[in-house]
Amino acid sequence: MSVKAIISAFLLILTSCATTGGQFHVNVSSLASSAANEKGTYFLLPGNDGVTFEDLQFQEYAAYVKRILDAEGFIYAPNVKNADVAVILSYGIGEPQTTQYTYSLPVWGQTGVSAARTSGTVSVYGNTATYSGNTTYTPSYGVTGMTSHVGTETTYDRYAQIAGFDYQTFLKSQKVVELWKTTITSTGSSGDLRRVFPILIGAASPYIAKNTGKAILVKLSENDKTVRIVKGEQEEKK
C-alpha cells in the first residue's frame, strides 16, 4: 500500500470516529429474587416523576417493553387485579458532555528526487563541437512531518430501568416486594432517546427477571433482529 493510500485510510478512520457509528454499546445489569420466575402475569406503570400512563412517550416505550416481556414468557393482564407483577418502567437521558481530544495528521510533500534524466544535442561547426543539454528531475513524495489538531466529542448518558414488584403481596399487606430489576445504560453521541430506547430494551431482552451476576456488555446495531422485534418490525419465531 502506498503512503498516500495509508494517509487516506487514516483520514477515513478519523472521520468515522467523529460521526455516529452503527453499533451501540449497552451495559445491562439485572438482579432477581428466587421468586422471580414464579410470577408471570403483569401490568406496566411509569416510574418517572410526573409521568402518567396517558403520557404518549411512556405509551411508546411501554409498547417496546411489552414486546420483550411477552417474548420472554410474561403474560399481560388486561385486568390489573389479576396481575402477579407490577412492572415499573423508568427512563431518561443526561445532559450533553463535551470533551476534547488531540490527534495528529501526516503532512504529504516532496522528500527528494527519485530519478534524473538528461537529454541534449551536439552541434558541430568545423573542428568545434558544442553540447546543449537539459536535465529533468523526478521528485519523490512521502510524509514530511505531522500536524497536531484538536477535536471535540459530545456524548449523552442514556438509561432505562425495568423493575418487577409482587403486586398481590402489595394488595394484601401494602408491602413492597421487589422481584427483579434490570438496569440498562449506554453512553454515545446520539441525544435522541426515542432512537436509542429500542436498542436499550433489545439489549436487555435475554436478561429480564434473571440474575446476571455482573454488568453485561451487549453490542447491537439498529438493524439487529432483536431491535426490529422490539420495534414491531419483525415477529419473533417461536
Side-chain angles (χ1 to χ4, degrees):
M1 180 182 289
S2 68
V3 176
K4 192 171 184 180
I6 294 173
I7 294 174
S8 297
F10 188 77
L11 290 171
L12 181 62
I13 292 171
L14 285 174
T15 302
S16 64
C17 289
T19 57
T20 302
Q23 192 175 67
F24 292 75
H25 291 196
V26 182
N27 288 295
V28 181
S29 182
S30 193
L31 297 164
S33 71
S34 57
N37 293 328
E38 300 173 5
K39 312 287 185 178
T41 308
Y42 75 97
F43 68 98
L44 273 167
L45 287 174
N48 294 64
D49 290 340
V51 176
T52 66
F53 188 82
E54 289 74 23
D55 183 272
L56 292 178
Q57 187 176 53
F58 169 75
Q59 290 183 19
E60 180 177 297
Y61 294 170
Y64 296 149
V65 174
K66 184 177 182 297
R67 288 191 185 102
I68 67 165
L69 289 175
D70 293 348
E72 293 301 312
F74 287 83
I75 300 172
Y76 185 76
N79 189 334
V80 172
K81 292 182 179 180
N82 297 330
D84 296 321
V85 184
V87 177
I88 310 299
L89 170 63
S90 306
Y91 47 83
I93 189 165
E95 294 295 323
Q97 303 292 325
T98 301
T99 57
Q100 287 189 334
Y101 60 91
T102 59
Y103 61 96
S104 298
L105 288 177
V107 177
W108 179 263
Q110 184 175 343
T111 57
V113 176
S114 62
R117 180 176 179 272
T118 301
S119 62
T121 59
V122 177
S123 300
V124 179
Y125 300 96
N127 294 326
T128 304
T130 60
Y131 171 78
S132 176
N134 181 55
T135 301
T136 302
Y137 296 96
T138 302
S140 59
Y141 295 91
V143 177
T144 60
M146 302 291 288
T147 58
S148 296
H149 303 267
V150 177
T152 60
E153 181 182 27
T154 301
T155 59
Y156 300 82
D157 293 327
R158 298 80 60 110
Y159 78 89
Q161 187 176 82
I162 312 168
F165 296 86
D166 190 328
Y167 185 58
Q168 292 302 317
T169 296
F170 178 77
L171 287 179
K172 295 174 183 176
S173 63
Q174 302 299 299
K175 185 179 180 180
V176 177
V177 178
E178 190 174 53
L179 297 171
W180 50 266
K181 177 171 65 178
T182 302
T183 303
I184 316 136
T185 59
S186 176
T187 300
S189 59
S190 177
D192 184 355
L193 186 59
R194 290 185 70 187
R195 176 191 176 192
V196 179
F197 191 82
I199 298 164
L200 300 180
I201 300 305
S205 179
Y207 307 107
I208 295 294
K210 297 179 177 65
N211 197 326
T212 59
K214 61 179 181 179
I216 305 294
L217 175 61
V218 182
K219 300 178 183 180
L220 287 178
S221 69
E222 292 182 271
N223 292 322
D224 189 277
K225 176 184 174 182
T226 304
V227 178
R228 291 176 62 83
I229 290 173
V230 169
K231 292 180 178 179
E233 297 173 354
Q234 179 174 332
E235 292 185 3
E236 183 177 27
K237 295 181 180 178
K238 302 295 185 179

